[in-house]
Amino acid sequence: MGNQLRFLACLPCAAALALGPAHAAEIAVDVGHTLAAPGAVSARGVDEFVFNRALADRLVGSLAGKGLPVRRINFDGRIASLQDRPREARGASFFIAIHHDSVQQEWLETWQWNGIEHSFSDRYRGFSLFVSRDNPEPSTSLRCASAIGARLRRLGFEGATHHVNSMPGRERPYADADNAVHFYDNLVVLYRTTLPAVLFEAGIIKHREEELALREPERQARMADGIATGIAACLFASGAP
């Protein structure tokens, strides 16, 4: 499988569009969390939703630059229901939810930033991807997640490892350890879809150094291009319309 993934990650994006714009796959890009429930809080007190929307915006631009139509989901932060997100994606070819990660509670410490106490952990860093075996197209979901992870690794991004130490009852076993892909079977946005789906965690915002890196526009653009390249290569290889 490793050789196949390396091949997928290196495919020219032009090949993914060989059928022309009329046949290009539509990608549903979902911004994780909402304005009212903004997810994790970074080491410096920034809500995860802010990180998610910034990277999702970059990803939309990268996908559009490769000729792939995009369906924006929850960019205004007002879709509270997890079930509504897959419904919004119906008819698209692929669904990707953009998130940023935290760590287990027992690894958190406290520090002062601008006179305010915040929690942090510098123990782990890196991206992760998640797929569900209960998704209607689990093989395509895994193939695309692995292609994304492989491309990001080739660009120099580091895969996180902390999910292998998940709490009992919340196990996230590896689906592809080399490319930081995990199984997360009961995640609503992954198994309630009618299309291949991946949840992407861009990095760990509780890590003080990685938090700053994740806010850099140049880094966001490189990561978005890597994600878009992996998606395009995977959908072309799998014969998606």
Side-chain angles (χ1 to χ4, degrees), residues 68-85:
L68 290 169
V70 177
R71 186 179 306 184
R72 294 169 176 256
I73 296 176
N74 193 45
F75 276 69
D76 64 359
R78 299 184 185 281
I79 302 181
S81 169
L82 292 178
Q83 289 84 357
D84 285 344
R85 297 168 191 248

Side-chain angles (χ1 to χ4, degrees), residues 8-197:
L8 288 173
C10 296
L11 276 173
C13 288
L17 307 174
L19 292 177
H23 300 281
E26 183 182 26
I27 313 303
V29 177
D30 173 55
V31 179
H33 298 290
T34 65
L35 293 173
V41 178
S42 79
R44 291 171 176 81
V46 180
D47 290 335
E48 180 190 344
F49 180 80
V50 174
F51 289 85
N52 296 346
R53 185 165 55 188
L55 181 58
D57 275 329
R58 298 278 184 184
L59 179 56
V60 167
S62 292
L63 290 166
K66 299 179 191 307
L68 290 169
V70 177
R71 186 179 306 184
R72 294 169 176 256
I73 296 176
N74 193 45
F75 276 69
D76 64 359
R78 299 184 185 281
I79 302 181
S81 169
L82 292 178
Q83 289 84 357
D84 285 344
R85 297 168 191 248
R87 282 196 285 268
E88 292 281 333
R90 285 177 182 167
S93 301
F94 184 77
F95 177 94
I96 182 165
I98 302 298
H99 285 254
H100 287 69
D101 217 348
S102 184
V103 296
Q104 287 86 331
Q105 186 70 30
E106 62 267 26
W107 294 335
L108 292 174
E109 306 172 61
T110 59
W111 74 316
Q112 294 283 325
W113 173 257
N114 287 341
I116 301 173
E117 185 175 278
H118 297 285
S119 62
F120 78 95
S121 175
D122 293 337
R123 184 168 180 171
Y124 293 100
R125 63 189 303 164
F127 71 87
S128 303
L129 298 112
F130 297 86
V131 296
S132 172
R133 286 168 287 199
D134 295 326
N135 178 273
E137 297 192 43
S139 61
T140 302
S141 299
L142 176 55
R143 183 167 57 248
C144 288
S146 293
I148 294 167
R151 180 60 183 167
L152 291 175
R153 287 176 53 241
R154 287 177 63 83
L155 290 173
F157 292 102
E158 175 184 358
T161 60
H162 67 297
H163 288 287
V164 297
N165 298 315
S166 299
M167 293 179 288
R170 297 182 59 186
E171 291 82 3
R172 307 286 183 262
Y174 275 125
D176 174 3
D178 288 343
N179 295 308
V181 183
H182 297 262
F183 288 120
Y184 192 164
D185 292 332
N186 63 345
L187 187 62
V188 171
V189 296
L190 296 181
Y191 80 84
R192 287 285 183 90
T193 63
T194 57
L195 58 152

